[in-house]
Amino acid sequence: MPNEYTAIVITPDAIRDGLTEHILNDFLAAVTMRILWQKHWRVVSVDAIISMCPRLAGKPSLAPVIKTMMAGGSLIVIACGEDLYAKLRETKGKIKFNDDFTEVEVTGLRLKYRTWAFEELEQLKSPSHHRRQAILDKIFEFRIHTTDNLKETANLCVLCMNEEDIKNLELVAPILYGEVVRLKNEPA
């Protein structure tokens, strides 16, 4: 299988809590990949977040992601490896609820680096929308985000790389470089 290119985003709350190195080491221990580039970068617009996380557009979980991502600088890491999207998704883990919030499944690094206690999940059963939303906001904090395909990765590169960074991609990641250049040249 050919190399896939992804971005790993360590969010401001994880950086604030001193978890950057731990999270990166956990990814590197679980997944064979090569780090190509990294940079601290601050997200300054909701459009940038939607570009990074297009599946969240229009969903209730977008609001806490916006709050988390805009709270400070993030670390953006561009990496390549075989079958990287699926492997990183599995390592990152998931948060899954049934329709009435009585069952919750949390796995992977999302479980390891959570900022909430399982006891708080009882609040999800509350009839109060505000109490339920408060715990959902806390659960959907994203200390870690990974892009799920080449286009998402290239979109993030367009947002956070300068011209020299993009030019350097040509040597280390020609497929990603081609997609970044294509996106930059698309009419707005």
Side-chain angles (χ1 to χ4, degrees):
M1 178 170 272
N3 275 338
E4 294 177 338
Y5 299 95
T6 192
I8 299 169
V9 179
I10 310 296
T11 62
D13 60 330
I15 292 171
R16 178 198 66 224
D17 294 343
L19 298 173
T20 304
E21 189 174 321
H22 299 288
I23 292 169
L24 284 177
N25 286 339
D26 284 346
F27 273 125
L28 290 168
V31 179
T32 301
M33 65 179 144
R34 186 169 55 115
I35 294 178
L36 304 174
W37 179 88
Q38 61 184 2
K39 175 182 184 177
H40 281 89
W41 178 69
R42 185 172 185 143
V43 179
V44 294
S45 77
V46 172
D47 289 340
I49 294 168
I50 292 171
S51 177
M52 290 168 50
C53 313
R55 292 182 195 171
L56 296 180
K59 294 186 178 177
S61 53
L62 180 60
V65 172
I66 291 169
K67 183 178 175 186
T68 297
M69 293 299 294
M70 294 183 84
S74 296
L75 177 66
I76 312 297
V77 177
I78 304 297
C80 69
E82 289 188 14
D83 197 26
L84 202 51
Y85 304 123
K87 290 175 182 175
L88 288 176
R89 220 177 358 262
E90 181 181 335
T91 301
K92 181 175 55 174
K94 61 184 174 182
I95 300 172
K96 187 176 174 182
F97 299 95
N98 64 353
D99 289 339
D100 63 358
F101 299 107
T102 55
E103 296 176 27
V104 179
E105 178 185 6
V106 184
T107 62
L109 296 182
R110 290 191 190 278
L111 175 63
K112 181 175 182 178
Y113 293 110
R114 73 185 187 278
T115 60
W116 47 271
F118 280 99
E119 295 77 29
E120 292 178 276
L121 296 179
E122 285 301 311
Q123 294 178 24
L124 288 173
K125 299 174 187 173
S126 168
S128 163
H129 171 73
H130 294 295
R131 192 173 303 148
R132 183 179 293 158
Q133 189 60 49
I135 192 63
L136 284 174
D137 288 353
K138 197 169 190 182
I139 288 172
F140 276 110
E141 54 77 26
F142 284 84
R143 290 184 178 273
I144 308 160
H145 173 69
T146 59
T147 54
D148 292 323
N149 55 55
L150 181 62
K151 184 174 182 183
E152 285 180 25
T153 306
N155 276 333
L156 186 54
C157 290
V158 168
L159 292 168
C160 69
M161 288 182 161
N162 61 36
E163 291 301 322
E164 185 179 337
D165 294 332
I166 292 170
K167 183 68 176 153
N168 289 335
L169 281 179
E170 188 173 15
L171 297 173
V172 296
I175 294 169
L176 178 58
Y177 171 77
E179 183 67 9
V180 169
V181 169
R182 186 188 69 73
L183 288 172
K184 281 186 70 78
N185 292 328
E186 269 186 358

